[in-house]
mmCIF file of all heavy atoms in Angstrom:
data_model
loop_
_atom_site.group_PDB
_atom_site.id
_atom_site.type_symbol
_atom_site.label_atom_id
_atom_site.label_comp_id
_atom_site.label_asym_id
_atom_site.label_seq_id
_atom_site.Cartn_x
_atom_site.Cartn_y
_atom_site.Cartn_z
ATOM 1 N N HIS A 25 29.717 21.861 -8.154
ATOM 2 C CA HIS A 25 31.121 22.053 -7.795
ATOM 3 C C HIS A 25 31.733 20.703 -7.487
ATOM 4 O O HIS A 25 31.037 19.736 -7.214
ATOM 5 C CB HIS A 25 31.241 23.002 -6.609
ATOM 6 C CG HIS A 25 30.748 22.391 -5.318
ATOM 7 N ND1 HIS A 25 29.407 22.331 -5.011
ATOM 8 C CD2 HIS A 25 31.413 21.819 -4.275
ATOM 9 C CE1 HIS A 25 29.246 21.750 -3.831
ATOM 10 N NE2 HIS A 25 30.454 21.428 -3.366
ATOM 11 N N GLY A 61 42.188 -24.580 19.834
ATOM 12 C CA GLY A 61 43.476 -24.426 20.498
ATOM 13 C C GLY A 61 43.930 -25.620 21.320
ATOM 14 O O GLY A 61 45.109 -25.973 21.302
ATOM 15 N N MET A 118 33.136 -54.568 20.232
ATOM 16 C CA MET A 118 32.476 -54.966 18.992
ATOM 17 C C MET A 118 33.143 -56.196 18.409
ATOM 18 O O MET A 118 34.267 -56.543 18.771
ATOM 19 C CB MET A 118 32.561 -53.839 17.940
ATOM 20 C CG MET A 118 31.991 -52.517 18.319
ATOM 21 S SD MET A 118 32.166 -51.316 16.954
ATOM 22 C CE MET A 118 31.588 -49.831 17.775
ATOM 23 N N GLY A 130 32.613 -44.084 9.068
ATOM 24 C CA GLY A 130 33.084 -42.934 9.825
ATOM 25 C C GLY A 130 32.431 -42.764 11.176
ATOM 26 O O GLY A 130 32.520 -41.693 11.775
ATOM 27 N N VAL A 147 51.372 -66.438 27.594
ATOM 28 C CA VAL A 147 51.765 -67.412 28.617
ATOM 29 C C VAL A 147 52.969 -68.240 28.170
ATOM 30 O O VAL A 147 53.715 -68.768 29.009
ATOM 31 C CB VAL A 147 50.585 -68.330 28.975
ATOM 32 C CG1 VAL A 147 49.424 -67.515 29.534
ATOM 33 C CG2 VAL A 147 50.122 -69.156 27.775
ATOM 34 N N ALA A 152 59.542 -70.121 27.804
ATOM 35 C CA ALA A 152 60.620 -69.767 26.872
ATOM 36 C C ALA A 152 61.730 -69.024 27.596
ATOM 37 O O ALA A 152 62.919 -69.192 27.285
ATOM 38 C CB ALA A 152 60.069 -68.917 25.729
ATOM 39 N N SER A 177 42.381 -36.808 14.133
ATOM 40 C CA SER A 177 41.840 -37.972 14.829
ATOM 41 C C SER A 177 42.910 -39.020 15.103
ATOM 42 O O SER A 177 42.915 -39.650 16.168
ATOM 43 C CB SER A 177 40.704 -38.587 14.008
ATOM 44 O OG SER A 177 41.172 -39.041 12.751
ATOM 45 N N THR A 178 43.831 -39.216 14.166
ATOM 46 C CA THR A 178 44.885 -40.225 14.364
ATOM 47 C C THR A 178 45.723 -39.894 15.586
ATOM 48 O O THR A 178 46.011 -40.757 16.418
ATOM 49 C CB THR A 178 45.775 -40.309 13.116
ATOM 50 O OG1 THR A 178 45.005 -40.809 12.023
ATOM 51 C CG2 THR A 178 46.961 -41.226 13.353
ATOM 52 N N ALA A 192 48.959 -51.420 30.420
ATOM 53 C CA ALA A 192 48.411 -52.776 30.492
ATOM 54 C C ALA A 192 49.502 -53.808 30.225
ATOM 55 O O ALA A 192 49.530 -54.871 30.868
ATOM 56 C CB ALA A 192 47.283 -52.931 29.473
ATOM 57 N N GLN A 207 58.051 -70.450 39.049
ATOM 58 C CA GLN A 207 58.419 -71.706 38.381
ATOM 59 C C GLN A 207 59.903 -72.013 38.543
ATOM 60 O O GLN A 207 60.296 -73.173 38.695
ATOM 61 C CB GLN A 207 58.049 -71.623 36.896
ATOM 62 C CG GLN A 207 56.542 -71.574 36.655
ATOM 63 C CD GLN A 207 56.169 -71.753 35.199
ATOM 64 O OE1 GLN A 207 56.854 -72.469 34.468
ATOM 65 N NE2 GLN A 207 55.064 -71.134 34.776
ATOM 66 N N GLN A 216 66.001 -79.467 40.309
ATOM 67 C CA GLN A 216 66.283 -79.358 38.884
ATOM 68 C C GLN A 216 67.196 -78.150 38.618
ATOM 69 O O GLN A 216 67.160 -77.150 39.329
ATOM 70 C CB GLN A 216 64.978 -79.183 38.095
ATOM 71 C CG GLN A 216 64.014 -80.349 38.245
ATOM 72 C CD GLN A 216 62.699 -80.104 37.513
ATOM 73 O OE1 GLN A 216 62.561 -79.118 36.790
ATOM 74 N NE2 GLN A 216 61.736 -81.001 37.703
ATOM 75 N N ALA A 239 47.065 -47.403 10.025
ATOM 76 C CA ALA A 239 45.809 -46.835 9.537
ATOM 77 C C ALA A 239 44.873 -47.934 9.062
ATOM 78 O O ALA A 239 45.310 -48.969 8.546
ATOM 79 C CB ALA A 239 46.081 -45.840 8.407
ATOM 80 N N LEU A 279 18.543 -3.079 -10.295
ATOM 81 C CA LEU A 279 17.247 -2.585 -9.817
ATOM 82 C C LEU A 279 17.289 -1.104 -9.468
ATOM 83 O O LEU A 279 16.268 -0.537 -9.061
ATOM 84 C CB LEU A 279 16.810 -3.379 -8.579
ATOM 85 C CG LEU A 279 16.519 -4.869 -8.783
ATOM 86 C CD1 LEU A 279 16.146 -5.534 -7.465
ATOM 87 C CD2 LEU A 279 15.416 -5.070 -9.812
ATOM 88 N N LEU A 286 31.766 -0.304 -12.022
ATOM 89 C CA LEU A 286 32.678 -1.325 -12.526
ATOM 90 C C LEU A 286 33.831 -0.641 -13.268
ATOM 91 O O LEU A 286 33.664 -0.194 -14.415
ATOM 92 C CB LEU A 286 31.948 -2.293 -13.463
ATOM 93 C CG LEU A 286 30.849 -3.160 -12.840
ATOM 94 C CD1 LEU A 286 30.113 -3.936 -13.915
ATOM 95 C CD2 LEU A 286 31.432 -4.105 -11.804
ATOM 96 N N TYR A 293 20.908 3.043 -12.596
ATOM 97 C CA TYR A 293 19.745 2.636 -13.370
ATOM 98 C C TYR A 293 18.460 3.134 -12.723
ATOM 99 O O TYR A 293 18.428 3.497 -11.543
ATOM 100 C CB TYR A 293 19.698 1.109 -13.495
ATOM 101 C CG TYR A 293 20.783 0.535 -14.370
ATOM 102 C CD1 TYR A 293 21.957 0.042 -13.814
ATOM 103 C CD2 TYR A 293 20.636 0.490 -15.756
ATOM 104 C CE1 TYR A 293 22.964 -0.489 -14.611
ATOM 105 C CE2 TYR A 293 21.632 -0.037 -16.567
ATOM 106 C CZ TYR A 293 22.796 -0.528 -15.985
ATOM 107 O OH TYR A 293 23.789 -1.049 -16.776
ATOM 108 N N LEU A 312 21.091 -20.430 -7.259
ATOM 109 C CA LEU A 312 20.780 -21.842 -7.474
ATOM 110 C C LEU A 312 21.266 -22.302 -8.846
ATOM 111 O O LEU A 312 21.858 -23.378 -8.993
ATOM 112 C CB LEU A 312 19.280 -22.082 -7.332
ATOM 113 C CG LEU A 312 18.692 -21.969 -5.918
ATOM 114 C CD1 LEU A 312 17.184 -22.159 -5.953
ATOM 115 C CD2 LEU A 312 19.330 -22.994 -4.984
ATOM 116 N N MET A 323 34.096 -30.167 -10.067
ATOM 117 C CA MET A 323 34.436 -31.565 -10.322
ATOM 118 C C MET A 323 35.366 -31.693 -11.529
ATOM 119 O O MET A 323 36.268 -32.537 -11.553
ATOM 120 C CB MET A 323 33.158 -32.378 -10.514
ATOM 121 C CG MET A 323 32.300 -32.443 -9.266
ATOM 122 S SD MET A 323 30.771 -33.387 -9.482
ATOM 123 C CE MET A 323 31.425 -35.040 -9.723
ATOM 124 N N ARG A 411 32.800 -35.726 3.117
ATOM 125 C CA ARG A 411 33.707 -36.757 3.635
ATOM 126 C C ARG A 411 33.149 -38.150 3.398
ATOM 127 O O ARG A 411 33.875 -39.073 3.000
ATOM 128 C CB ARG A 411 33.941 -36.538 5.139
ATOM 129 C CG ARG A 411 34.920 -37.532 5.751
ATOM 130 C CD ARG A 411 34.946 -37.455 7.266
ATOM 131 N NE ARG A 411 33.694 -37.886 7.873
ATOM 132 C CZ ARG A 411 33.552 -38.225 9.155
ATOM 133 N NH1 ARG A 411 34.592 -38.160 9.968
ATOM 134 N NH2 ARG A 411 32.400 -38.601 9.636
ATOM 135 N N ALA A 418 29.116 -43.361 1.422
ATOM 136 C CA ALA A 418 28.137 -42.520 0.709
ATOM 137 C C ALA A 418 26.720 -43.057 0.879
ATOM 138 O O ALA A 418 25.926 -43.076 -0.062
ATOM 139 C CB ALA A 418 28.490 -42.404 -0.769
ATOM 140 N N ALA A 443 11.318 -14.684 4.426
ATOM 141 C CA ALA A 443 9.874 -14.569 4.193
ATOM 142 C C ALA A 443 9.162 -13.809 5.299
ATOM 143 O O ALA A 443 8.118 -13.183 5.066
ATOM 144 C CB ALA A 443 9.273 -15.975 4.049
#
Side-chain angles (χ1 to χ4, degrees):
H25 70 280
M118 302 181 186
V147 299
S177 62
T178 294
Q207 293 191 33
Q216 299 177 7
L279 295 178
L286 295 173
Y293 290 96
L312 290 177
M323 295 179 67
R411 182 190 67 163

